[in-house]
Amino acid sequence: MGPATEPRRPARASKSPALKGDIRIPGDKSISHRSLMLGGLAAGETRITGLLEGEDVIATGKAMQAMGAAIRKDADSWIVNGTGNGCLLAPEAPLDFGNAGTGCRLTMGLAGSYDFETTFIGDASLSSRPMGRVLDPLRLMGVQIRAGSGERLPVTLHGPRTPAPISYRVPMASAQVKSAVLLAGLNIPGITMVIEPVMTRDHTEKMLAGFGAALEVETAPDGVRSIRLEGRGRLTGQTIDVPGDPSSAAFPLVAALIVPGSDLIIRNVLMNPARTGLILTLRDMGADIEVLDPRQSGGEDVADLRVRSSELSGVRVPAGRAPSMIDEYPVLAVAASFAKGETVMQGLSELRVKESDRLAAVARGLELNGVDCTKGEDWLSVRGRPDGKGLGAVSKDAIVATWLDHRIAMSFLVMGLASENPVQVDDCAIIATSFPQFMDLMTGIGAEMAEQ
Ligand code: S3P
């Protein structure tokens, strides 16, 4: 099961006429995972609209079902009946997370502190990603761990009879690690503290508070955040409307910027400040992105975006901005390929441990398509060609390797829309992990993009 064993589906994108339309993108992946997890854990009913129905999120739903949650679809809503906090059941089989790092790592926290055995498996991409970052704090809580070499999947966890609360300083900028510790803390008596030196996306904190957890966040003058959670509290089912995913909106957004004459409206995009780094950066580059009707929805900032094609100029992207746009660097590199001058992106070490080594995958794909770029250990610089002349596949064999990474596939398909020559990727099946409608939505606004 899962994309690793499914046949690859090559695809190709070519120079397109102006992109026009008024679109909605699928629900935010981070919030969708957390909605099913917290809904599956809370007492009573949770109703979710706008849930991302991608493979990653479905894997999380199946894991929650395997641990006792009842989940069903009723028209446009997903209805979840949770077990009650502290009442997850031992799964009878390994939990298969496919390609989904967030689902896997957060569930390791959620289930790891229980006095039963849970085994985690995934596809080739997920099985090569580091899990030690989550296993380290779990060990401190007393969780027993069997892991593959280098702390890779498959991993089996068995929580202690009496788990101990910990105070944990997150050593890297990772919302997944922060969230895993907090979710483990739900089943631990006493106070679990997470200290976050650099702020990352705060959906777990916000949603835990929304479900009724006793949680407090303090931010020191230097920006260090301390999150205090009292374990074993009651969580109660909620109604959630998941806003559109800014990390998915990024693809049609960059496409509209680089394809001349484009004018696109993207509705209902999550504008949480911990997620808007790409928009800030593109605006620094001269992008015409209008934020329409900014509003609040379910405790999150949301807005519609109007994007018109723009003459972009290279910028230096500050390293400190990385956590607020960590998933957007591949598509930013594509935008930079069409900008005047050089764009320098720094502080990218976390890019190396995503669904693929994104720094290497992006640099290789750009080079293959004629882009002048240089990469270092944790940085990338791109010198663009505003007219797209000479960009794209120079030969029939110039096919971008996507490495089971949805964002590599989508980024390079976007690149083909403004390049002189078409851009080819070796697989578009993997896109279904986060954005199943991607090809239809893009062709619907005029993009020349198709499976081979
Ligand atoms: C996510 C956190 C980020 C991000 C991922 C989703 C989350 O990962 O890249 O796509 O939902 O918590 P890290 O925590 O590894 O930075």
Side-chain angles (χ1 to χ4, degrees):
M1 208 198 99
T5 53
E6 277 172 19
R8 299 234 165 140
R9 294 182 358 220
R12 182 177 135 117
S14 20
K15 205 165 173 56
S16 298
L19 305 177
K20 300 245 157 106
D22 187 331
I23 57 172
R24 286 178 83 89
I25 27 108
D28 185 69
K29 185 147 77 79
S30 295
I31 295 180
S32 294
H33 279 299
R34 288 159 173 82
S35 299
L36 291 178
M37 284 180 193
L38 295 181
L41 188 66
E45 186 176 281
T46 290
R47 296 184 81 89
I48 312 166
T49 46
L51 187 83
L52 166 62
E53 296 176 3
E55 288 169 1
D56 279 11
V57 173
I58 300 298
T60 291
K62 286 185 178 160
M64 293 310 298
Q65 284 175 321
M67 293 190 289
I71 304 178
R72 69 189 162 86
K73 195 164 179 196
D74 179 14
D76 287 344
S77 303
W78 286 83
I79 319 290
V80 184
N81 277 281
T83 58
N85 185 23
C87 302
L88 290 178
L89 301 177
E92 283 168 9
L95 303 177
D96 186 349
F97 280 95
N99 193 254
T102 303
C104 181
R105 291 193 175 122
L106 267 58
T107 307
M108 283 180 171
L110 191 70
S113 57
Y114 280 71
D115 180 14
F116 58 60
E117 202 159 269
T118 321
T119 296
F120 297 80
I121 58 173
D123 73 2
S125 155
L126 188 56
S127 303
S128 68
R129 299 180 66 184
M131 294 298 155
R133 52 180 59 201
V134 171
L135 303 181
D136 287 344
L138 291 179
R139 274 193 190 96
L140 297 175
M141 294 167 181
V143 178
Q144 289 182 341
I145 295 165
R146 277 202 311 276
S149 67
E151 310 239 85
R152 304 295 202 260
L153 296 187
V155 165
T156 300
L157 305 179
H158 194 141
R161 227 163 259 157
T162 320
I166 62 169
S167 174
Y168 195 70
R169 193 179 171 89
V170 184
M172 68 288 289
S174 170
Q176 292 178 356
V177 175
K178 163 178 69 178
S179 302
V181 176
L182 290 172
L183 295 176
L186 287 174
N187 187 42
I188 302 180
I191 306 297
T192 293
M193 278 281 284
V194 177
I195 297 146
E196 186 179 50
V198 181
M199 182 169 178
T200 60
R201 65 191 70 193
D202 57 354
H203 309 303
T204 302
E205 297 93 297
K206 282 187 163 172
M207 292 178 70
L208 277 171
F211 275 82
L215 177 137
E216 284 162 27
V217 183
E218 250 180 55
T219 307
D222 59 359
V224 176
R225 296 173 80 237
S226 300
I227 307 153
R228 184 181 186 277
L229 172 79
E230 198 176 323
R232 301 251 162 117
R234 186 180 158 81
L235 301 181
T236 313
Q238 298 296 308
T239 299
I240 300 170
D241 185 22
V242 182
D245 194 330
S247 300
S248 297
F251 300 105
L253 189 152
V254 168
L257 288 175
I258 62 176
V259 174
S262 299
D263 187 350
L264 186 66
I265 291 184
I266 312 175
R267 303 268 174 205
N268 196 39
V269 181
L270 173 67
M271 294 291 280
N272 179 313
R275 301 287 299 280
T276 48
L278 176 74
I279 294 177
L280 277 182
T281 303
L282 289 170
R283 280 181 152 175
D284 288 351
M285 294 172 80
D288 181 352
I289 305 172
E290 228 181 302
V291 176
L292 307 173
D293 189 18
R295 54 199 183 269
Q296 281 269 309
S297 168
E300 289 285 6
D301 294 329
V302 168
D304 304 328
L305 301 177
R306 180 169 184 191
V307 193
R308 277 170 278 206
S309 56
S310 308
E311 283 177 18
L312 302 176
S313 302
V315 290
R316 184 169 286 271
V317 189
R321 203 178 278 170
S324 67
M325 54 178 296
I326 192 66
D327 291 333
E328 281 68 80
Y329 283 101
V331 81
L332 174 65
V334 168
S337 303
F338 296 91
K340 197 164 128 237
E342 184 179 41
T343 297
V344 182
M345 302 162 231
Q346 289 164 307
L348 305 186
S349 55
E350 280 295 306
L351 274 198
R352 295 210 177 256
V353 290
K354 295 297 176 189
E355 286 82 331
S356 66
D357 175 345
R358 282 189 179 152
L359 191 44
V362 167
R364 231 174 292 150
L366 292 180
E367 279 159 12
L368 196 66
N369 287 291
V371 180
D372 178 13
C373 66
T374 320
K375 77 168 192 311
E377 203 40 52
D378 70 343
W379 57 268
L380 178 67
S381 76
V382 177
R383 289 158 292 276
R385 287 290 316 245
D387 55 6
K389 279 259 157 47
L391 303 188
V394 278
S395 78
K396 267 190 80 170
D397 318 321
I399 302 173
V400 176
T402 53
W403 304 103
L404 288 175
D405 189 330
H406 53 131
R407 298 199 208 283
I408 298 297
M410 289 186 276
S411 297
F412 281 98
L413 288 171
V414 166
M415 180 175 185
L417 305 179
S419 302
E420 184 182 13
N421 303 306
V423 171
Q424 319 181 81
V425 300
D426 67 355
D427 182 39
C428 66
I430 195 66
I431 295 173
T433 58
S434 72
F435 198 162
Q437 312 86 327
F438 174 74
M439 299 285 265
D440 288 345
L441 186 140
M442 292 303 292
T443 49
I445 57 174
E448 308 264 344
M449 192 180 275
E451 261 186 76
Q452 290 298 88

